Amino acid sequence: MARHRSIETRHYAERDALFRGLQGLDRRAFLKVSLAAAGAALASGARFHPHSFVPVSVADAAGGPVEPFTFAYISDSHLYKRELNDRFVRQLLRAVDDVNALDPQPDFVLFGGDLAQLGQPEELELGSQILKDLKAPVRMMVGEHDWYLDLGEKWRALFGQETYSFDHKGVHFVVLQSVNEKDFWTARGMTPKERMQTVAGLDNGVQSRFEVGEPQREWLKQDLAKVPATTPLIVFSHSPLYKYYKPWNFWTEDADEVQAILKRFPRVTVIHGHTHQMLTNRVGNIHFHGMLSTAWPWPYAPEGLPKLTIQMNRPDPFNPNDGCGDGSASVAAAGLVDTVYNLWNRNPIQVSAAYVGSGDTNAAPPRPTLTSF
Ligand SMILES: [Fe+2]
Ligand SMILES: [Fe+2]
């Protein structure tokens, strides 16, 4: 009689095959292994869902300065070295699969920072290699976990300058390095590793808060000086460019100064990583959308949650993928952004420009049915 193999046994056999393939992670080896895993799933009669969300089409067809388009995002993968943690590797691979399955493909993919957990060269190289499997072009942003071991040296060698701007289909995009801190390490005689470990904590008391900083604010002023106010702006920053709960590093110290630089533009959207949760805010002319993490969800801060935020449902503590995900953003003709949260294992949620612009009277996303945290 044939030996019975439970679903778990088969799952672990497939998983082991996948990870044997990942030991020598290169593009060809990975494709071979993942195709084999997909074939095994089909042969076993499992229903195979290549992806679980579709970018929402843009409602605003009234015309405007922008040719409507979509970009996808993946953020906060927090990769350790492969031999220490394979779960975060798998979760980043899952996000890459999600985005590659989008049809039509997004114009580009924003990576929102914290590619690595402790800024180590091996972690950043592993992330860089996995992101090479994305079909669409990738725009990179840096996070504090990528930065504080060598103050950006390895990240720059892999991805180029951390602060830059570009124009796409009528939108001016700006990418900032918003995780600068005042030097707390030299006087304390800390090693680079100690500095990195300190910044990696959510609420370590020796740090100053994150800031964009004076030199970069000057750069931003110069960069925007040549952009007409009628041009929609989209700013990518790792930390939210507002002040959200000072005891944790969710707070951006010079947020008011940065917002003042953006004030001249009636249509500004900030897309940020770092907070690992559905997070929505509006300050005057600026709409803010936080991105999901592929690694873990942070709890909401005990105070200071922006009024427009509709919290995501409490993640299942027994499901390490829950509360994580990736997403996309549809840019309408007027230049405002509808964001889709592709929460793994749950229905996708759209947070639209109509909702943010109305101050929560229109098009509100669904409220959570469980308390978040
Ligand atoms: Fe993060
Ligand atoms: Fe971060």
Side-chain angles (χ1 to χ4, degrees):
M1 199 169 90
R3 211 171 113 242
H4 175 74
R5 291 172 80 217
S6 71
I7 288 169
E8 286 89 341
T9 310
R10 275 183 282 149
H11 166 76
Y12 279 113
E14 286 163 21
R15 177 180 172 280
D16 288 344
L18 178 67
F19 277 90
R20 274 197 303 279
L22 284 175
Q23 295 306 315
L25 186 81
D26 63 42
R27 190 185 171 90
R28 191 172 300 174
F30 171 65
L31 282 176
K32 216 166 133 186
V33 172
S34 54
L35 284 172
L42 283 171
S44 70
R47 289 177 65 195
F48 192 63
H49 299 280
H51 65 96
S52 53
F53 76 112
V54 178
V56 173
S57 61
V58 176
D60 179 3
V66 172
E67 181 192 333
F69 64 95
T70 299
F71 63 89
Y73 79 76
I74 300 174
S75 196
D76 290 87
S77 54
H78 290 265
L79 299 178
Y80 288 86
K81 287 187 210 169
R82 206 168 31 226
E83 58 274 22
L84 293 180
N85 177 315
D86 66 19
R87 177 159 71 83
F88 292 172
V89 174
R90 277 181 283 132
Q91 291 178 194
L92 180 57
L93 290 169
R94 178 175 180 174
V96 168
D97 280 351
D98 280 353
V99 171
N100 279 345
L102 290 173
D103 183 16
Q105 276 285 284
D107 283 13
F108 62 87
V109 186
L110 165 67
F111 188 84
D114 288 350
L115 180 62
Q117 171 63 8
L118 295 169
Q120 301 197 55
E122 300 89 334
E123 299 170 349
L124 290 165
E125 279 162 13
L126 176 61
S128 164
Q129 188 139 18
I130 292 174
L131 294 179
K132 280 187 184 138
D133 279 314
L134 283 164
K135 292 190 229 163
V138 183
R139 298 286 184 175
M140 291 300 292
M141 177 158 68
V142 78
E144 79 279 14
H145 287 256
D146 306 318
W147 192 259
Y148 279 92
L149 185 67
D150 62 6
L151 301 178
E153 200 183 315
K154 180 67 185 179
W155 194 93
R156 280 188 185 131
L158 285 169
F159 305 116
Q161 278 304 308
E162 67 278 11
T163 305
Y164 58 99
S165 64
F166 59 97
D167 295 291
H168 186 76
K169 293 187 175 171
V171 175
H172 186 67
F173 284 88
V174 173
V175 185
L176 296 175
Q177 197 282 43
S178 65
V179 293
N180 291 295
E181 292 198 22
K182 306 226 170 353
D183 184 345
F184 62 83
W185 50 90
T186 306
R188 289 183 170 85
M190 285 180 165
T191 64
K193 227 173 180 168
E194 288 166 338
R195 176 178 62 205
M196 181 67 252
Q197 291 282 3
T198 305
V199 179
L202 186 65
D203 57 351
N204 196 306
V206 308
Q207 300 171 248
S208 66
R209 296 301 81 181
F210 291 143
E211 60 179 26
V212 172
E214 173 67 28
Q216 217 178 171
R217 293 201 307 270
E218 261 322 297
W219 174 89
L220 182 61
K221 279 183 207 162
Q222 304 279 326
D223 182 74
L224 296 181
K226 58 184 186 296
V227 181
T230 48
T231 304
L233 293 187
I234 300 181
V235 179
F236 297 146
S237 70
H238 183 65
S239 66
L241 292 178
Y242 57 89
K243 295 178 169 177
Y244 174 24
Y245 197 55
K246 199 164 189 179
W248 294 357
N249 64 15
F250 284 2
W251 181 277
T252 303
E253 186 68 26
D254 57 354
D256 298 345
E257 288 96 318
V258 178
Q259 289 169 16
I261 300 169
L262 303 173
K263 215 177 169 83
R264 174 167 81 81
F265 297 86
R267 281 161 298 179
V268 185
T269 305
V270 172
I271 311 272
H272 66 85
H274 186 60
T275 47
H276 300 204
Q277 56 195 225
M278 278 179 61
L279 193 63
T280 310
N281 194 11
R282 180 160 70 96
V283 179
N285 58 323
I286 310 174
H287 294 198
F288 297 87
H289 298 271
M291 290 182 266
L292 299 172
S293 161
T294 63
W296 71 81
W298 279 123
Y300 286 100
E303 289 165 20
L305 188 66
K307 181 172 82 56
L308 281 174
T309 297
I310 292 185
Q311 300 180 25
M312 55 196 198
N313 265 318
R314 181 182 58 221
D316 174 354
F318 298 104
N319 179 349
N321 285 351
D322 205 19
C324 299
D326 42 54
S328 65
S330 293
V331 186
L336 292 170
V337 174
D338 296 337
T339 303
V340 175
Y341 290 92
N342 177 40
L343 283 152
W344 288 334
N345 315 326
R346 293 177 185 259
N347 291 329
I349 296 176
Q350 179 181 232
V351 179
S352 67
Y355 167 72
V356 181
S358 71
D360 94 352
T361 50
N362 282 341
R367 308 264 161 192
T369 51
L370 299 165
T371 321
S372 298
F373 281 96

